[in-house]
Amino acid sequence: MAETPVRQGATQHTDYSIEELQIVSSKGKKDVSTILVELCYNEDLFNNFSYGYLSLKDSAGYLEAFQFSGVEFLQLTLTKADNPIKINKIFRIYKLAKRKPEGQGLTETYTLYFCTEELMLSEQYKICKAYKGKTVRDIINDISDNDLMINNLSLEETTGTYDFIIPNIKPFDAINWLLNYARSAANPESADMLFYEDREGYKLRSLQSLYSQQPLDVYTFAPKNVPSLDSDISNIQSTMTNAMTYE
């Protein structure tokens, strides 16, 4: 069994730094890092896009100043410890929820939900196209370039050519449908291709190629809510690497 390499990035729950957290609206830009209560940013192998939310505690009337009209964006720049790669993305804010007045009405907390712009594009229209003698990789590349306007794209080679008609469905739905036929050129015996977004951009990868990478950490099953003899920090780190469920 290969040894787990020494982690050069985040090793504790506090090992991150928010360099930029701005809401961009028709009224300009507002830095909201000073009123941030919670930030959640998600990347998921089994989701086509990244998403998240931020909870704010506002006593300066930022919410009224934004004058939300549905075309607001979030500029997020996030770094982790000594890792040279940073998350630097612009997201579309699509929902305002959980508004709650506090402090005799002088303060208000609320949550803003955000996602990548490509999801908004995918939800706005459908595509109907015909492809003849194309690989799944070529078709996904065409949809990504011409319909979703994706700039940062990394696609693993696939084997086999097909004749397909995309039957008037949303771009992300079309890509997920095509994945049922996709087989990696390096591992043609497996049909395990995934299309997802991470901090580096959108990727088409097979599970076999992901499994070949060195692991960054080890997650284990262990009892929860058991008092620890270690320090609070080590106890938090143990919780972070404790598997919650298995599917």
PDB file of all heavy atoms in Angstrom, residues 45-48 136-137 139-140 155-156 158 162 164 166 172-184 190-196 203-206:
ATOM      1  N   LEU A  45     -17.721  15.748  -7.302  1.00  0.00           N
ATOM      2  CA  LEU A  45     -17.470  14.927  -8.486  1.00  0.00           C
ATOM      3  C   LEU A  45     -18.757  14.545  -9.210  1.00  0.00           C
ATOM      4  O   LEU A  45     -18.761  14.350 -10.420  1.00  0.00           O
ATOM      5  CB  LEU A  45     -16.723  13.643  -8.091  1.00  0.00           C
ATOM      6  CG  LEU A  45     -15.233  13.753  -7.802  1.00  0.00           C
ATOM      7  CD1 LEU A  45     -14.698  12.400  -7.343  1.00  0.00           C
ATOM      8  CD2 LEU A  45     -14.466  14.232  -9.019  1.00  0.00           C
ATOM      9  N   PHE A  46     -19.843  14.425  -8.461  1.00  0.00           N
ATOM     10  CA  PHE A  46     -21.097  13.960  -9.039  1.00  0.00           C
ATOM     11  C   PHE A  46     -22.062  15.111  -9.294  1.00  0.00           C
ATOM     12  O   PHE A  46     -23.250  14.898  -9.471  1.00  0.00           O
ATOM     13  CB  PHE A  46     -21.723  12.904  -8.119  1.00  0.00           C
ATOM     14  CG  PHE A  46     -20.798  11.745  -7.867  1.00  0.00           C
ATOM     15  CD1 PHE A  46     -20.077  11.652  -6.691  1.00  0.00           C
ATOM     16  CD2 PHE A  46     -20.619  10.766  -8.821  1.00  0.00           C
ATOM     17  CE1 PHE A  46     -19.214  10.595  -6.465  1.00  0.00           C
ATOM     18  CE2 PHE A  46     -19.753   9.707  -8.611  1.00  0.00           C
ATOM     19  CZ  PHE A  46     -19.050   9.612  -7.429  1.00  0.00           C
ATOM     20  N   ASN A  47     -21.544  16.329  -9.318  1.00  0.00           N
ATOM     21  CA  ASN A  47     -22.293  17.512  -9.705  1.00  0.00           C
ATOM     22  C   ASN A  47     -21.532  18.187 -10.829  1.00  0.00           C
ATOM     23  O   ASN A  47     -20.299  18.206 -10.828  1.00  0.00           O
ATOM     24  CB  ASN A  47     -22.448  18.477  -8.523  1.00  0.00           C
ATOM     25  CG  ASN A  47     -23.892  18.795  -8.236  1.00  0.00           C
ATOM     26  OD1 ASN A  47     -24.742  18.740  -9.123  1.00  0.00           O
ATOM     27  ND2 ASN A  47     -24.183  19.132  -7.003  1.00  0.00           N
ATOM     28  N   ASN A  48     -22.230  18.775 -11.769  1.00  0.00           N
ATOM     29  CA  ASN A  48     -21.561  19.394 -12.903  1.00  0.00           C
ATOM     30  C   ASN A  48     -20.962  20.756 -12.580  1.00  0.00           C
ATOM     31  O   ASN A  48     -20.178  21.275 -13.371  1.00  0.00           O
ATOM     32  CB  ASN A  48     -22.549  19.564 -14.067  1.00  0.00           C
ATOM     33  CG  ASN A  48     -23.154  18.254 -14.519  1.00  0.00           C
ATOM     34  OD1 ASN A  48     -24.362  18.128 -14.627  1.00  0.00           O
ATOM     35  ND2 ASN A  48     -22.320  17.259 -14.788  1.00  0.00           N
ATOM     36  N   VAL A 136     -17.611  10.902 -27.815  1.00  0.00           N
ATOM     37  CA  VAL A 136     -18.329  11.602 -26.748  1.00  0.00           C
ATOM     38  C   VAL A 136     -17.533  12.825 -26.298  1.00  0.00           C
ATOM     39  O   VAL A 136     -18.100  13.887 -26.014  1.00  0.00           O
ATOM     40  CB  VAL A 136     -18.597  10.652 -25.568  1.00  0.00           C
ATOM     41  CG1 VAL A 136     -19.165  11.416 -24.384  1.00  0.00           C
ATOM     42  CG2 VAL A 136     -19.544   9.537 -25.989  1.00  0.00           C
ATOM     43  N   ARG A 137     -16.222  12.705 -26.267  1.00  0.00           N
ATOM     44  CA  ARG A 137     -15.385  13.838 -25.885  1.00  0.00           C
ATOM     45  C   ARG A 137     -15.591  15.013 -26.828  1.00  0.00           C
ATOM     46  O   ARG A 137     -15.714  16.164 -26.380  1.00  0.00           O
ATOM     47  CB  ARG A 137     -13.916  13.427 -25.891  1.00  0.00           C
ATOM     48  CG  ARG A 137     -12.965  14.563 -25.515  1.00  0.00           C
ATOM     49  CD  ARG A 137     -11.530  14.207 -25.836  1.00  0.00           C
ATOM     50  NE  ARG A 137     -10.620  15.273 -25.418  1.00  0.00           N
ATOM     51  CZ  ARG A 137     -10.387  16.382 -26.104  1.00  0.00           C
ATOM     52  NH1 ARG A 137     -11.022  16.578 -27.267  1.00  0.00           N
ATOM     53  NH2 ARG A 137      -9.544  17.295 -25.653  1.00  0.00           N
ATOM     54  N   ILE A 139     -18.204  15.740 -28.667  1.00  0.00           N
ATOM     55  CA  ILE A 139     -19.546  16.312 -28.510  1.00  0.00           C
ATOM     56  C   ILE A 139     -19.610  17.173 -27.248  1.00  0.00           C
ATOM     57  O   ILE A 139     -20.145  18.281 -27.271  1.00  0.00           O
ATOM     58  CB  ILE A 139     -20.607  15.197 -28.469  1.00  0.00           C
ATOM     59  CG1 ILE A 139     -20.556  14.370 -29.760  1.00  0.00           C
ATOM     60  CG2 ILE A 139     -21.994  15.790 -28.285  1.00  0.00           C
ATOM     61  CD1 ILE A 139     -21.475  13.163 -29.748  1.00  0.00           C
ATOM     62  N   ILE A 140     -19.052  16.661 -26.152  1.00  0.00           N
ATOM     63  CA  ILE A 140     -19.043  17.432 -24.912  1.00  0.00           C
ATOM     64  C   ILE A 140     -18.216  18.698 -25.076  1.00  0.00           C
ATOM     65  O   ILE A 140     -18.575  19.767 -24.552  1.00  0.00           O
ATOM     66  CB  ILE A 140     -18.512  16.569 -23.752  1.00  0.00           C
ATOM     67  CG1 ILE A 140     -19.514  15.452 -23.420  1.00  0.00           C
ATOM     68  CG2 ILE A 140     -18.239  17.419 -22.513  1.00  0.00           C
ATOM     69  CD1 ILE A 140     -19.069  14.523 -22.314  1.00  0.00           C
ATOM     70  N   LEU A 155     -10.435  17.786 -20.939  1.00  0.00           N
ATOM     71  CA  LEU A 155     -11.225  16.620 -21.319  1.00  0.00           C
ATOM     72  C   LEU A 155     -10.328  15.414 -21.568  1.00  0.00           C
ATOM     73  O   LEU A 155      -9.373  15.482 -22.356  1.00  0.00           O
ATOM     74  CB  LEU A 155     -12.043  16.913 -22.589  1.00  0.00           C
ATOM     75  CG  LEU A 155     -13.000  18.107 -22.523  1.00  0.00           C
ATOM     76  CD1 LEU A 155     -13.672  18.334 -23.865  1.00  0.00           C
ATOM     77  CD2 LEU A 155     -14.043  17.897 -21.443  1.00  0.00           C
ATOM     78  N   GLU A 156     -10.644  14.331 -20.899  1.00  0.00           N
ATOM     79  CA  GLU A 156      -9.926  13.081 -21.122  1.00  0.00           C
ATOM     80  C   GLU A 156     -10.417  12.436 -22.418  1.00  0.00           C
ATOM     81  O   GLU A 156     -11.599  12.521 -22.765  1.00  0.00           O
ATOM     82  CB  GLU A 156     -10.171  12.148 -19.936  1.00  0.00           C
ATOM     83  CG  GLU A 156      -9.361  10.856 -19.965  1.00  0.00           C
ATOM     84  CD  GLU A 156      -9.569  10.036 -18.703  1.00  0.00           C
ATOM     85  OE1 GLU A 156      -9.812  10.643 -17.637  1.00  0.00           O
ATOM     86  OE2 GLU A 156      -9.483   8.805 -18.784  1.00  0.00           O
ATOM     87  N   THR A 158     -11.814   9.865 -25.059  1.00  0.00           N
ATOM     88  CA  THR A 158     -12.765   8.753 -24.997  1.00  0.00           C
ATOM     89  C   THR A 158     -12.638   7.900 -26.260  1.00  0.00           C
ATOM     90  O   THR A 158     -12.141   8.369 -27.287  1.00  0.00           O
ATOM     91  CB  THR A 158     -14.210   9.255 -24.868  1.00  0.00           C
ATOM     92  OG1 THR A 158     -14.542  10.064 -26.007  1.00  0.00           O
ATOM     93  CG2 THR A 158     -14.380  10.073 -23.596  1.00  0.00           C
ATOM     94  N   TYR A 162     -19.902   7.820 -32.406  1.00  0.00           N
ATOM     95  CA  TYR A 162     -21.353   7.636 -32.348  1.00  0.00           C
ATOM     96  C   TYR A 162     -22.057   8.642 -33.246  1.00  0.00           C
ATOM     97  O   TYR A 162     -21.503   9.698 -33.575  1.00  0.00           O
ATOM     98  CB  TYR A 162     -21.859   7.827 -30.908  1.00  0.00           C
ATOM     99  CG  TYR A 162     -21.264   6.873 -29.904  1.00  0.00           C
ATOM    100  CD1 TYR A 162     -20.081   7.201 -29.223  1.00  0.00           C
ATOM    101  CD2 TYR A 162     -21.876   5.662 -29.604  1.00  0.00           C
ATOM    102  CE1 TYR A 162     -19.534   6.337 -28.285  1.00  0.00           C
ATOM    103  CE2 TYR A 162     -21.340   4.799 -28.665  1.00  0.00           C
ATOM    104  CZ  TYR A 162     -20.175   5.138 -28.015  1.00  0.00           C
ATOM    105  OH  TYR A 162     -19.634   4.285 -27.081  1.00  0.00           O
ATOM    106  N   PHE A 164     -25.343  10.821 -32.826  1.00  0.00           N
ATOM    107  CA  PHE A 164     -26.274  11.235 -31.779  1.00  0.00           C
ATOM    108  C   PHE A 164     -27.117  12.412 -32.239  1.00  0.00           C
ATOM    109  O   PHE A 164     -26.650  13.262 -33.021  1.00  0.00           O
ATOM    110  CB  PHE A 164     -25.522  11.669 -30.507  1.00  0.00           C
ATOM    111  CG  PHE A 164     -25.070  10.521 -29.651  1.00  0.00           C
ATOM    112  CD1 PHE A 164     -23.764  10.484 -29.163  1.00  0.00           C
ATOM    113  CD2 PHE A 164     -25.920   9.487 -29.315  1.00  0.00           C
ATOM    114  CE1 PHE A 164     -23.337   9.448 -28.369  1.00  0.00           C
ATOM    115  CE2 PHE A 164     -25.498   8.437 -28.519  1.00  0.00           C
ATOM    116  CZ  PHE A 164     -24.206   8.414 -28.047  1.00  0.00           C
ATOM    117  N   ILE A 166     -29.117  15.290 -30.088  1.00  0.00           N
ATOM    118  CA  ILE A 166     -29.450  15.841 -28.775  1.00  0.00           C
ATOM    119  C   ILE A 166     -30.901  16.330 -28.841  1.00  0.00           C
ATOM    120  O   ILE A 166     -31.203  17.291 -29.550  1.00  0.00           O
ATOM    121  CB  ILE A 166     -28.511  16.992 -28.387  1.00  0.00           C
ATOM    122  CG1 ILE A 166     -27.039  16.548 -28.479  1.00  0.00           C
ATOM    123  CG2 ILE A 166     -28.827  17.496 -26.991  1.00  0.00           C
ATOM    124  CD1 ILE A 166     -26.680  15.428 -27.562  1.00  0.00           C
ATOM    125  N   PHE A 172     -26.429  20.829 -19.652  1.00  0.00           N
ATOM    126  CA  PHE A 172     -25.886  19.921 -18.636  1.00  0.00           C
ATOM    127  C   PHE A 172     -26.605  18.567 -18.673  1.00  0.00           C
ATOM    128  O   PHE A 172     -25.981  17.521 -18.463  1.00  0.00           O
ATOM    129  CB  PHE A 172     -25.994  20.533 -17.246  1.00  0.00           C
ATOM    130  CG  PHE A 172     -24.833  21.417 -16.879  1.00  0.00           C
ATOM    131  CD1 PHE A 172     -25.035  22.618 -16.207  1.00  0.00           C
ATOM    132  CD2 PHE A 172     -23.530  21.060 -17.193  1.00  0.00           C
ATOM    133  CE1 PHE A 172     -23.962  23.433 -15.868  1.00  0.00           C
ATOM    134  CE2 PHE A 172     -22.455  21.865 -16.864  1.00  0.00           C
ATOM    135  CZ  PHE A 172     -22.674  23.064 -16.201  1.00  0.00           C
ATOM    136  N   ASP A 173     -27.913  18.567 -18.941  1.00  0.00           N
ATOM    137  CA  ASP A 173     -28.637  17.301 -19.065  1.00  0.00           C
ATOM    138  C   ASP A 173     -28.125  16.510 -20.264  1.00  0.00           C
ATOM    139  O   ASP A 173     -28.034  15.277 -20.206  1.00  0.00           O
ATOM    140  CB  ASP A 173     -30.139  17.566 -19.212  1.00  0.00           C
ATOM    141  CG  ASP A 173     -30.755  18.112 -17.937  1.00  0.00           C
ATOM    142  OD1 ASP A 173     -30.149  17.930 -16.863  1.00  0.00           O
ATOM    143  OD2 ASP A 173     -31.840  18.716 -18.015  1.00  0.00           O
ATOM    144  N   ALA A 174     -27.793  17.211 -21.350  1.00  0.00           N
ATOM    145  CA  ALA A 174     -27.247  16.544 -22.536  1.00  0.00           C
ATOM    146  C   ALA A 174     -25.898  15.903 -22.231  1.00  0.00           C
ATOM    147  O   ALA A 174     -25.624  14.764 -22.631  1.00  0.00           O
ATOM    148  CB  ALA A 174     -27.115  17.550 -23.678  1.00  0.00           C
ATOM    149  N   ILE A 175     -25.042  16.631 -21.499  1.00  0.00           N
ATOM    150  CA  ILE A 175     -23.729  16.090 -21.144  1.00  0.00           C
ATOM    151  C   ILE A 175     -23.871  14.859 -20.255  1.00  0.00           C
ATOM    152  O   ILE A 175     -23.199  13.836 -20.458  1.00  0.00           O
ATOM    153  CB  ILE A 175     -22.880  17.178 -20.459  1.00  0.00           C
ATOM    154  CG1 ILE A 175     -22.481  18.254 -21.480  1.00  0.00           C
ATOM    155  CG2 ILE A 175     -21.636  16.575 -19.811  1.00  0.00           C
ATOM    156  CD1 ILE A 175     -21.738  19.424 -20.880  1.00  0.00           C
ATOM    157  N   ASN A 176     -24.754  14.922 -19.271  1.00  0.00           N
ATOM    158  CA  ASN A 176     -24.964  13.774 -18.384  1.00  0.00           C
ATOM    159  C   ASN A 176     -25.523  12.577 -19.136  1.00  0.00           C
ATOM    160  O   ASN A 176     -25.202  11.427 -18.808  1.00  0.00           O
ATOM    161  CB  ASN A 176     -25.900  14.173 -17.233  1.00  0.00           C
ATOM    162  CG  ASN A 176     -25.267  15.180 -16.295  1.00  0.00           C
ATOM    163  OD1 ASN A 176     -24.053  15.211 -16.130  1.00  0.00           O
ATOM    164  ND2 ASN A 176     -26.083  16.019 -15.691  1.00  0.00           N
ATOM    165  N   TRP A 177     -26.357  12.825 -20.131  1.00  0.00           N
ATOM    166  CA  TRP A 177     -26.876  11.736 -20.961  1.00  0.00           C
ATOM    167  C   TRP A 177     -25.757  11.100 -21.790  1.00  0.00           C
ATOM    168  O   TRP A 177     -25.679   9.875 -21.918  1.00  0.00           O
ATOM    169  CB  TRP A 177     -27.979  12.287 -21.873  1.00  0.00           C
ATOM    170  CG  TRP A 177     -28.553  11.285 -22.836  1.00  0.00           C
ATOM    171  CD1 TRP A 177     -29.312  10.196 -22.533  1.00  0.00           C
ATOM    172  CD2 TRP A 177     -28.381  11.280 -24.255  1.00  0.00           C
ATOM    173  NE1 TRP A 177     -29.649   9.514 -23.687  1.00  0.00           N
ATOM    174  CE2 TRP A 177     -29.084  10.154 -24.761  1.00  0.00           C
ATOM    175  CE3 TRP A 177     -27.726  12.112 -25.155  1.00  0.00           C
ATOM    176  CZ2 TRP A 177     -29.136   9.845 -26.116  1.00  0.00           C
ATOM    177  CZ3 TRP A 177     -27.775  11.812 -26.511  1.00  0.00           C
ATOM    178  CH2 TRP A 177     -28.470  10.691 -26.974  1.00  0.00           C
ATOM    179  N   LEU A 178     -24.861  11.928 -22.312  1.00  0.00           N
ATOM    180  CA  LEU A 178     -23.743  11.425 -23.113  1.00  0.00           C
ATOM    181  C   LEU A 178     -22.770  10.602 -22.280  1.00  0.00           C
ATOM    182  O   LEU A 178     -22.127   9.675 -22.794  1.00  0.00           O
ATOM    183  CB  LEU A 178     -22.998  12.596 -23.762  1.00  0.00           C
ATOM    184  CG  LEU A 178     -23.741  13.341 -24.874  1.00  0.00           C
ATOM    185  CD1 LEU A 178     -23.050  14.650 -25.193  1.00  0.00           C
ATOM    186  CD2 LEU A 178     -23.836  12.465 -26.127  1.00  0.00           C
ATOM    187  N   LEU A 179     -22.659  10.917 -20.982  1.00  0.00           N
ATOM    188  CA  LEU A 179     -21.743  10.178 -20.116  1.00  0.00           C
ATOM    189  C   LEU A 179     -22.121   8.705 -20.008  1.00  0.00           C
ATOM    190  O   LEU A 179     -21.265   7.867 -19.695  1.00  0.00           O
ATOM    191  CB  LEU A 179     -21.705  10.810 -18.722  1.00  0.00           C
ATOM    192  CG  LEU A 179     -21.075  12.204 -18.612  1.00  0.00           C
ATOM    193  CD1 LEU A 179     -21.152  12.712 -17.191  1.00  0.00           C
ATOM    194  CD2 LEU A 179     -19.630  12.195 -19.099  1.00  0.00           C
ATOM    195  N   ASN A 180     -23.377   8.361 -20.276  1.00  0.00           N
ATOM    196  CA  ASN A 180     -23.793   6.959 -20.240  1.00  0.00           C
ATOM    197  C   ASN A 180     -23.106   6.138 -21.329  1.00  0.00           C
ATOM    198  O   ASN A 180     -23.011   4.912 -21.224  1.00  0.00           O
ATOM    199  CB  ASN A 180     -25.311   6.849 -20.410  1.00  0.00           C
ATOM    200  CG  ASN A 180     -26.073   7.459 -19.246  1.00  0.00           C
ATOM    201  OD1 ASN A 180     -25.679   7.280 -18.098  1.00  0.00           O
ATOM    202  ND2 ASN A 180     -27.138   8.177 -19.533  1.00  0.00           N
ATOM    203  N   TYR A 181     -22.641   6.812 -22.381  1.00  0.00           N
ATOM    204  CA  TYR A 181     -21.983   6.129 -23.503  1.00  0.00           C
ATOM    205  C   TYR A 181     -20.472   6.331 -23.508  1.00  0.00           C
ATOM    206  O   TYR A 181     -19.782   5.748 -24.340  1.00  0.00           O
ATOM    207  CB  TYR A 181     -22.547   6.656 -24.831  1.00  0.00           C
ATOM    208  CG  TYR A 181     -24.035   6.439 -24.988  1.00  0.00           C
ATOM    209  CD1 TYR A 181     -24.944   7.381 -24.535  1.00  0.00           C
ATOM    210  CD2 TYR A 181     -24.529   5.279 -25.581  1.00  0.00           C
ATOM    211  CE1 TYR A 181     -26.312   7.184 -24.668  1.00  0.00           C
ATOM    212  CE2 TYR A 181     -25.893   5.082 -25.727  1.00  0.00           C
ATOM    213  CZ  TYR A 181     -26.778   6.033 -25.271  1.00  0.00           C
ATOM    214  OH  TYR A 181     -28.127   5.837 -25.403  1.00  0.00           O
ATOM    215  N   ALA A 182     -19.967   7.157 -22.606  1.00  0.00           N
ATOM    216  CA  ALA A 182     -18.550   7.511 -22.624  1.00  0.00           C
ATOM    217  C   ALA A 182     -17.692   6.426 -21.976  1.00  0.00           C
ATOM    218  O   ALA A 182     -18.012   5.936 -20.888  1.00  0.00           O
ATOM    219  CB  ALA A 182     -18.334   8.841 -21.906  1.00  0.00           C
ATOM    220  N   ARG A 183     -16.603   6.086 -22.665  1.00  0.00           N
ATOM    221  CA  ARG A 183     -15.606   5.157 -22.127  1.00  0.00           C
ATOM    222  C   ARG A 183     -14.227   5.761 -22.335  1.00  0.00           C
ATOM    223  O   ARG A 183     -13.904   6.249 -23.408  1.00  0.00           O
ATOM    224  CB  ARG A 183     -15.699   3.789 -22.803  1.00  0.00           C
ATOM    225  CG  ARG A 183     -16.966   3.013 -22.467  1.00  0.00           C
ATOM    226  CD  ARG A 183     -17.008   1.668 -23.181  1.00  0.00           C
ATOM    227  NE  ARG A 183     -17.071   1.832 -24.626  1.00  0.00           N
ATOM    228  CZ  ARG A 183     -16.257   1.221 -25.481  1.00  0.00           C
ATOM    229  NH1 ARG A 183     -15.288   0.424 -25.022  1.00  0.00           N
ATOM    230  NH2 ARG A 183     -16.386   1.410 -26.784  1.00  0.00           N
ATOM    231  N   SER A 184     -13.424   5.699 -21.299  1.00  0.00           N
ATOM    232  CA  SER A 184     -12.090   6.277 -21.367  1.00  0.00           C
ATOM    233  C   SER A 184     -11.227   5.529 -22.383  1.00  0.00           C
ATOM    234  O   SER A 184     -11.259   4.296 -22.458  1.00  0.00           O
ATOM    235  CB  SER A 184     -11.431   6.230 -19.986  1.00  0.00           C
ATOM    236  OG  SER A 184     -10.069   6.580 -20.066  1.00  0.00           O
ATOM    237  N   SER A 190     -14.110   0.158 -18.794  1.00  0.00           N
ATOM    238  CA  SER A 190     -14.927   0.768 -17.744  1.00  0.00           C
ATOM    239  C   SER A 190     -15.725   1.940 -18.306  1.00  0.00           C
ATOM    240  O   SER A 190     -15.208   2.738 -19.094  1.00  0.00           O
ATOM    241  CB  SER A 190     -14.042   1.268 -16.600  1.00  0.00           C
ATOM    242  OG  SER A 190     -13.305   0.197 -16.028  1.00  0.00           O
ATOM    243  N   ALA A 191     -16.979   2.048 -17.891  1.00  0.00           N
ATOM    244  CA  ALA A 191     -17.834   3.185 -18.260  1.00  0.00           C
ATOM    245  C   ALA A 191     -18.054   4.014 -17.001  1.00  0.00           C
ATOM    246  O   ALA A 191     -19.084   3.907 -16.346  1.00  0.00           O
ATOM    247  CB  ALA A 191     -19.150   2.701 -18.853  1.00  0.00           C
ATOM    248  N   ASP A 192     -17.076   4.812 -16.659  1.00  0.00           N
ATOM    249  CA  ASP A 192     -17.098   5.526 -15.383  1.00  0.00           C
ATOM    250  C   ASP A 192     -16.652   6.978 -15.541  1.00  0.00           C
ATOM    251  O   ASP A 192     -15.954   7.528 -14.690  1.00  0.00           O
ATOM    252  CB  ASP A 192     -16.200   4.815 -14.364  1.00  0.00           C
ATOM    253  CG  ASP A 192     -14.764   4.664 -14.868  1.00  0.00           C
ATOM    254  OD1 ASP A 192     -14.486   5.066 -16.011  1.00  0.00           O
ATOM    255  OD2 ASP A 192     -13.915   4.151 -14.114  1.00  0.00           O
ATOM    256  N   MET A 193     -17.093   7.616 -16.622  1.00  0.00           N
ATOM    257  CA  MET A 193     -16.694   8.989 -16.889  1.00  0.00           C
ATOM    258  C   MET A 193     -17.551   9.970 -16.094  1.00  0.00           C
ATOM    259  O   MET A 193     -18.752   9.771 -15.905  1.00  0.00           O
ATOM    260  CB  MET A 193     -16.807   9.296 -18.384  1.00  0.00           C
ATOM    261  CG  MET A 193     -15.989   8.378 -19.277  1.00  0.00           C
ATOM    262  SD  MET A 193     -14.208   8.591 -19.065  1.00  0.00           S
ATOM    263  CE  MET A 193     -13.955  10.207 -19.756  1.00  0.00           C
ATOM    264  N   LEU A 194     -16.903  11.055 -15.639  1.00  0.00           N
ATOM    265  CA  LEU A 194     -17.575  12.094 -14.864  1.00  0.00           C
ATOM    266  C   LEU A 194     -17.254  13.456 -15.468  1.00  0.00           C
ATOM    267  O   LEU A 194     -16.145  13.694 -15.944  1.00  0.00           O
ATOM    268  CB  LEU A 194     -17.113  12.073 -13.403  1.00  0.00           C
ATOM    269  CG  LEU A 194     -17.338  10.781 -12.614  1.00  0.00           C
ATOM    270  CD1 LEU A 194     -16.619  10.862 -11.275  1.00  0.00           C
ATOM    271  CD2 LEU A 194     -18.816  10.517 -12.408  1.00  0.00           C
ATOM    272  N   PHE A 195     -18.243  14.349 -15.434  1.00  0.00           N
ATOM    273  CA  PHE A 195     -18.043  15.727 -15.873  1.00  0.00           C
ATOM    274  C   PHE A 195     -18.348  16.623 -14.684  1.00  0.00           C
ATOM    275  O   PHE A 195     -19.472  16.653 -14.190  1.00  0.00           O
ATOM    276  CB  PHE A 195     -18.959  16.067 -17.052  1.00  0.00           C
ATOM    277  CG  PHE A 195     -18.702  17.436 -17.637  1.00  0.00           C
ATOM    278  CD1 PHE A 195     -17.658  17.649 -18.521  1.00  0.00           C
ATOM    279  CD2 PHE A 195     -19.513  18.511 -17.302  1.00  0.00           C
ATOM    280  CE1 PHE A 195     -17.417  18.912 -19.060  1.00  0.00           C
ATOM    281  CE2 PHE A 195     -19.290  19.773 -17.826  1.00  0.00           C
ATOM    282  CZ  PHE A 195     -18.233  19.969 -18.718  1.00  0.00           C
ATOM    283  N   TYR A 196     -17.344  17.355 -14.196  1.00  0.00           N
ATOM    284  CA  TYR A 196     -17.496  18.129 -12.973  1.00  0.00           C
ATOM    285  C   TYR A 196     -16.638  19.385 -13.035  1.00  0.00           C
ATOM    286  O   TYR A 196     -15.802  19.558 -13.940  1.00  0.00           O
ATOM    287  CB  TYR A 196     -17.093  17.286 -11.757  1.00  0.00           C
ATOM    288  CG  TYR A 196     -15.648  16.820 -11.790  1.00  0.00           C
ATOM    289  CD1 TYR A 196     -14.655  17.555 -11.164  1.00  0.00           C
ATOM    290  CD2 TYR A 196     -15.275  15.643 -12.455  1.00  0.00           C
ATOM    291  CE1 TYR A 196     -13.327  17.148 -11.200  1.00  0.00           C
ATOM    292  CE2 TYR A 196     -13.965  15.226 -12.496  1.00  0.00           C
ATOM    293  CZ  TYR A 196     -12.991  15.980 -11.864  1.00  0.00           C
ATOM    294  OH  TYR A 196     -11.677  15.575 -11.920  1.00  0.00           O
ATOM    295  N   LYS A 203     -13.865  19.550 -15.941  1.00  0.00           N
ATOM    296  CA  LYS A 203     -13.070  18.396 -16.326  1.00  0.00           C
ATOM    297  C   LYS A 203     -13.958  17.214 -16.705  1.00  0.00           C
ATOM    298  O   LYS A 203     -15.023  17.013 -16.109  1.00  0.00           O
ATOM    299  CB  LYS A 203     -12.140  17.975 -15.182  1.00  0.00           C
ATOM    300  CG  LYS A 203     -11.095  19.020 -14.825  1.00  0.00           C
ATOM    301  CD  LYS A 203     -10.181  18.552 -13.709  1.00  0.00           C
ATOM    302  CE  LYS A 203      -9.129  19.596 -13.393  1.00  0.00           C
ATOM    303  NZ  LYS A 203      -8.206  19.171 -12.315  1.00  0.00           N
ATOM    304  N   LEU A 204     -13.502  16.470 -17.694  1.00  0.00           N
ATOM    305  CA  LEU A 204     -14.083  15.173 -18.038  1.00  0.00           C
ATOM    306  C   LEU A 204     -13.037  14.127 -17.688  1.00  0.00           C
ATOM    307  O   LEU A 204     -11.999  14.040 -18.338  1.00  0.00           O
ATOM    308  CB  LEU A 204     -14.429  15.105 -19.530  1.00  0.00           C
ATOM    309  CG  LEU A 204     -14.932  13.760 -20.060  1.00  0.00           C
ATOM    310  CD1 LEU A 204     -16.296  13.423 -19.460  1.00  0.00           C
ATOM    311  CD2 LEU A 204     -15.010  13.757 -21.580  1.00  0.00           C
ATOM    312  N   ARG A 205     -13.285  13.363 -16.645  1.00  0.00           N
ATOM    313  CA  ARG A 205     -12.319  12.383 -16.161  1.00  0.00           C
ATOM    314  C   ARG A 205     -13.023  11.067 -15.862  1.00  0.00           C
ATOM    315  O   ARG A 205     -14.216  11.026 -15.558  1.00  0.00           O
ATOM    316  CB  ARG A 205     -11.641  12.883 -14.874  1.00  0.00           C
ATOM    317  CG  ARG A 205     -10.822  14.139 -15.020  1.00  0.00           C
ATOM    318  CD  ARG A 205      -9.487  13.877 -15.674  1.00  0.00           C
ATOM    319  NE  ARG A 205      -8.685  12.923 -14.950  1.00  0.00           N
ATOM    320  CZ  ARG A 205      -7.873  13.235 -13.938  1.00  0.00           C
ATOM    321  NH1 ARG A 205      -7.810  14.491 -13.510  1.00  0.00           N
ATOM    322  NH2 ARG A 205      -7.146  12.317 -13.338  1.00  0.00           N
ATOM    323  N   SER A 206     -12.256   9.988 -15.911  1.00  0.00           N
ATOM    324  CA  SER A 206     -12.772   8.684 -15.515  1.00  0.00           C
ATOM    325  C   SER A 206     -12.377   8.402 -14.071  1.00  0.00           C
ATOM    326  O   SER A 206     -11.366   8.918 -13.577  1.00  0.00           O
ATOM    327  CB  SER A 206     -12.216   7.592 -16.428  1.00  0.00           C
ATOM    328  OG  SER A 206     -10.810   7.464 -16.266  1.00  0.00           O
TER     329      SER A 206
END
